[in-house]
Amino acid sequence: GMLGLSLLRNPVLHFILFSVHVIGYSIADTALVSLISRYASESGQGRSLALNQASQSIARVVSPLIAGYLYTNSKIIVGDKLPHGALPYVLGSLMPLLGICTPFVLFLKSVQRKKSGMHQRK
């Protein structure tokens, strides 16, 4: 996705691939809202959906500021290791890893809590 876009220099191909990215994001965002609605308690649905919207809004404000700084200073930060302006795309492609790791860590903690709760009952 984003990592490949950072290395492209053909504007037409860049536009096509970024369009695919936008379509994929739209589908994923709709699925995320559906999952939040499905797995939140009835009394907590509004709060969960509001937190989702708020975090997305904050990201839409903060991300361009960070990306602009990284784009402008990419030669200073990484030198000639990447093409000019590629740094925000490279870091943006790594962000989903954080999104994957966070629920995984929370899942592991919940499993540990359940196991420790089972041991305490015995």
Side-chain angles (χ1 to χ4, degrees), residues 6-69:
S6 70
L7 304 174
L8 282 177
R9 294 296 171 233
N10 181 335
V12 174
L13 189 57
H14 191 278
F15 176 78
I16 291 169
L17 291 177
F18 194 73
S19 298
V20 171
H21 169 77
V22 169
I23 292 168
Y25 174 79
S26 301
I27 293 168
D29 188 50
T30 304
L32 176 65
V33 170
S34 174
L35 287 171
I36 291 170
S37 177
R38 176 180 232 171
Y39 289 105
S41 66
E42 273 190 48
S43 61
Q45 275 186 350
R47 178 176 293 164
S48 298
L49 291 169
L51 284 171
N52 177 52
Q53 272 307 113
S55 62
Q56 286 183 354
S57 296
I58 290 169
R60 286 188 189 107
V61 170
V62 174
S63 295
L65 298 173
I66 295 170
Y69 174 81

Side-chain angles (χ1 to χ4, degrees), residues 1-3 87-101:
M2 297 299 277
L3 186 59
L87 189 58
Y89 289 99
V90 172
L91 291 178
S93 68
L94 297 175
M95 287 299 126
L97 294 176
L98 180 65
I100 291 169
C101 291

Side-chain angles (χ1 to χ4, degrees), residues 65-79 83-88:
L65 298 173
I66 295 170
Y69 174 81
L70 292 173
Y71 184 87
T72 304
N73 297 303
S74 62
K75 283 291 183 193
I76 297 167
I77 296 170
V78 293
H84 177 67
L87 189 58

